[in-house]
Amino acid sequence: MLSFVEENYLKAIYHLSEAGKRSVNTNTLAEEMKTAPASVSDMIKRLSEKKMVDYQKYRGVNVSEKGKIQALHVIRQHRVWKVFLVEKLNFQWDQLDEVAEQLEHIKSPLLFQRLDEFLGFPKFDPHGDPIPDENGQLTEKRKDPIAQLPVGTAGIVVGVNGSSASFLKYLDKVGISIGTRLQIMDRMEFDGSVDVTIDGKKTITISPTVAENILLSEA
């Protein structure tokens, strides 16, 4: 069984390695974990002894097959808890990760199984990220920034690139969230601002920056 800290390291290595596609150097990992490189080296040694990571001097660290399974398990719990916090406790987008970071480490398979069932076995979290199934498989949707889609495109918001509190609060204010249906009505030649209709009811103008950070799946 891994500790709270070990699971956080493993999850960070998985994300930084792009799901295990490349090795991560210790300085990058230290920056991500906000700690000293020496502490990272000690943790890598511990995880390596548990067969959770593969480490090669001068090349960096990556998740092993065993470590990848464990990382996806933690990510699965994190994202399902986020669904619960939004749908059942009315948390805002920008409040989710800190609380979900604590809940993801609860060691009760039965509790999590009941939670997943209670929520209807969700496949995407409130930020649009896919939730791994119990076998670690991910369901991906094609998603493109509004800024890259042609006028007339209609689709469902399935994710966001930005996760800053101010950006997420802005989306809440204008009524855009995961699952919102948008249609691109016009694009301003002057600055790239985009007119979008929200759920067929109201039309607003969003800035080029916002258009780059809202991800749409065409429908």
Side-chain angles (χ1 to χ4, degrees), residues 13 22-27 29 44 53-63:
I13 294 167
R22 61 184 181 85
S23 295
V24 181
N25 67 55
T26 54
N27 287 334
L29 186 54
I44 288 173
V53 299
D54 298 318
Y55 175 72
Q56 290 182 299
K57 196 173 183 179
Y58 306 121
R59 294 190 63 181
V61 63
N62 204 341
V63 288

Short mmCIF file of all heavy atoms in Angstrom, two decimals, residues 13 22-27 29 44 53-63:
data_model
loop_
_atom_site.label_atom_id
_atom_site.label_comp_id
_atom_site.label_asym_id
_atom_site.label_seq_id
_atom_site.Cartn_x
_atom_site.Cartn_y
_atom_site.Cartn_z
N ILE A 13 4.39 12.04 -11.71
CA ILE A 13 5.28 11.44 -12.71
C ILE A 13 4.47 11.00 -13.92
O ILE A 13 4.88 11.20 -15.08
CB ILE A 13 6.06 10.25 -12.11
CG1 ILE A 13 7.03 10.75 -11.03
CG2 ILE A 13 6.84 9.50 -13.21
CD1 ILE A 13 7.62 9.62 -10.17
N ARG A 22 7.49 9.44 -21.89
CA ARG A 22 8.87 9.93 -21.81
C ARG A 22 9.29 10.01 -20.34
O ARG A 22 8.45 10.06 -19.44
CB ARG A 22 9.00 11.30 -22.46
CG ARG A 22 8.16 12.38 -21.83
CD ARG A 22 8.26 13.69 -22.59
NE ARG A 22 7.48 14.74 -21.96
CZ ARG A 22 7.90 15.51 -20.98
NH1 ARG A 22 9.14 15.34 -20.50
NH2 ARG A 22 7.15 16.45 -20.45
N SER A 23 10.60 10.03 -20.12
CA SER A 23 11.12 10.11 -18.75
C SER A 23 11.09 11.56 -18.26
O SER A 23 11.10 12.51 -19.05
CB SER A 23 12.54 9.57 -18.71
OG SER A 23 12.56 8.19 -19.00
N VAL A 24 11.07 11.71 -16.94
CA VAL A 24 11.01 13.02 -16.30
C VAL A 24 12.27 13.22 -15.47
O VAL A 24 12.64 12.33 -14.69
CB VAL A 24 9.78 13.11 -15.37
CG1 VAL A 24 9.69 14.48 -14.72
CG2 VAL A 24 8.49 12.79 -16.14
N ASN A 25 12.93 14.37 -15.63
CA ASN A 25 14.12 14.59 -14.81
C ASN A 25 13.75 15.05 -13.41
O ASN A 25 12.65 15.56 -13.18
CB ASN A 25 15.10 15.56 -15.49
CG ASN A 25 14.57 16.98 -15.61
OD1 ASN A 25 14.18 17.59 -14.61
ND2 ASN A 25 14.56 17.51 -16.82
N THR A 26 14.66 14.87 -12.49
CA THR A 26 14.36 15.13 -11.08
C THR A 26 14.09 16.60 -10.80
O THR A 26 13.27 16.93 -9.93
CB THR A 26 15.51 14.64 -10.18
OG1 THR A 26 16.74 15.22 -10.63
CG2 THR A 26 15.62 13.12 -10.22
N ASN A 27 14.74 17.50 -11.53
CA ASN A 27 14.50 18.93 -11.30
C ASN A 27 13.07 19.32 -11.69
O ASN A 27 12.43 20.11 -10.99
CB ASN A 27 15.51 19.77 -12.08
CG ASN A 27 16.90 19.73 -11.48
OD1 ASN A 27 17.05 19.49 -10.29
ND2 ASN A 27 17.92 19.93 -12.30
N LEU A 29 10.51 17.32 -11.69
CA LEU A 29 9.63 16.72 -10.69
C LEU A 29 9.68 17.51 -9.38
O LEU A 29 8.65 17.72 -8.73
CB LEU A 29 10.03 15.27 -10.45
CG LEU A 29 9.13 14.44 -9.53
CD1 LEU A 29 7.68 14.48 -9.98
CD2 LEU A 29 9.63 13.00 -9.46
N ILE A 44 12.07 8.79 -5.24
CA ILE A 44 12.25 7.93 -6.41
C ILE A 44 12.84 6.58 -5.99
O ILE A 44 12.43 5.53 -6.48
CB ILE A 44 13.14 8.62 -7.46
CG1 ILE A 44 12.37 9.77 -8.12
CG2 ILE A 44 13.59 7.62 -8.52
CD1 ILE A 44 13.22 10.61 -9.05
N VAL A 53 8.25 2.69 -10.25
CA VAL A 53 8.89 3.55 -11.26
C VAL A 53 10.15 2.88 -11.79
O VAL A 53 10.72 1.99 -11.15
CB VAL A 53 9.25 4.94 -10.69
CG1 VAL A 53 8.01 5.69 -10.22
CG2 VAL A 53 10.29 4.84 -9.58
N ASP A 54 10.55 3.31 -12.97
CA ASP A 54 11.83 2.92 -13.56
C ASP A 54 12.71 4.15 -13.60
O ASP A 54 12.30 5.20 -14.12
CB ASP A 54 11.63 2.38 -14.99
CG ASP A 54 10.77 1.12 -15.01
OD1 ASP A 54 10.97 0.26 -14.13
OD2 ASP A 54 9.90 1.01 -15.90
N TYR A 55 13.91 4.04 -13.05
CA TYR A 55 14.82 5.19 -13.00
C TYR A 55 16.15 4.84 -13.64
O TYR A 55 16.72 3.77 -13.39
CB TYR A 55 15.06 5.62 -11.55
CG TYR A 55 16.09 6.73 -11.43
CD1 TYR A 55 15.77 8.03 -11.83
CD2 TYR A 55 17.37 6.47 -10.94
CE1 TYR A 55 16.71 9.04 -11.74
CE2 TYR A 55 18.31 7.48 -10.86
CZ TYR A 55 17.98 8.77 -11.25
OH TYR A 55 18.92 9.76 -11.18
N GLN A 56 16.61 5.75 -14.51
CA GLN A 56 17.92 5.60 -15.13
C GLN A 56 18.70 6.89 -14.92
O GLN A 56 18.20 7.98 -15.26
CB GLN A 56 17.80 5.31 -16.63
CG GLN A 56 17.25 3.92 -16.93
CD GLN A 56 17.21 3.67 -18.43
OE1 GLN A 56 16.52 4.37 -19.17
NE2 GLN A 56 17.95 2.67 -18.88
N LYS A 57 19.87 6.78 -14.37
CA LYS A 57 20.70 7.95 -14.11
C LYS A 57 20.95 8.72 -15.40
O LYS A 57 21.21 8.14 -16.45
CB LYS A 57 22.02 7.51 -13.50
CG LYS A 57 22.80 8.64 -12.84
CD LYS A 57 24.01 8.10 -12.10
CE LYS A 57 24.75 9.23 -11.38
NZ LYS A 57 25.92 8.71 -10.63
N TYR A 58 20.81 10.04 -15.29
CA TYR A 58 20.99 10.99 -16.40
C TYR A 58 19.84 10.98 -17.42
O TYR A 58 19.80 11.80 -18.32
CB TYR A 58 22.32 10.77 -17.14
CG TYR A 58 23.53 10.78 -16.25
CD1 TYR A 58 24.37 9.68 -16.17
CD2 TYR A 58 23.82 11.90 -15.46
CE1 TYR A 58 25.48 9.68 -15.33
CE2 TYR A 58 24.93 11.92 -14.61
CZ TYR A 58 25.75 10.81 -14.55
OH TYR A 58 26.84 10.82 -13.72
N ARG A 59 18.93 10.03 -17.28
CA ARG A 59 17.78 9.99 -18.21
C ARG A 59 16.47 10.32 -17.51
O ARG A 59 15.55 10.82 -18.13
CB ARG A 59 17.68 8.60 -18.86
CG ARG A 59 18.85 8.28 -19.77
CD ARG A 59 18.60 7.04 -20.58
NE ARG A 59 17.46 7.19 -21.48
CZ ARG A 59 17.02 6.23 -22.28
NH1 ARG A 59 17.60 5.03 -22.27
NH2 ARG A 59 15.99 6.43 -23.06
N GLY A 60 16.39 10.05 -16.22
CA GLY A 60 15.20 10.42 -15.48
C GLY A 60 14.36 9.24 -15.03
O GLY A 60 14.79 8.08 -15.07
N VAL A 61 13.14 9.55 -14.62
CA VAL A 61 12.25 8.56 -14.05
C VAL A 61 10.95 8.46 -14.85
O VAL A 61 10.50 9.45 -15.43
CB VAL A 61 11.94 8.91 -12.57
CG1 VAL A 61 11.19 10.24 -12.47
CG2 VAL A 61 11.15 7.81 -11.88
N ASN A 62 10.39 7.28 -14.88
CA ASN A 62 9.11 7.07 -15.54
C ASN A 62 8.31 6.04 -14.74
O ASN A 62 8.88 5.30 -13.94
CB ASN A 62 9.32 6.57 -16.98
CG ASN A 62 8.16 6.89 -17.88
OD1 ASN A 62 7.05 7.16 -17.42
ND2 ASN A 62 8.38 6.86 -19.19
N VAL A 63 7.02 6.02 -14.96
CA VAL A 63 6.20 5.02 -14.28
C VAL A 63 6.44 3.65 -14.90
O VAL A 63 6.59 3.51 -16.11
CB VAL A 63 4.69 5.37 -14.37
CG1 VAL A 63 4.36 6.54 -13.48
CG2 VAL A 63 4.26 5.65 -15.81
#
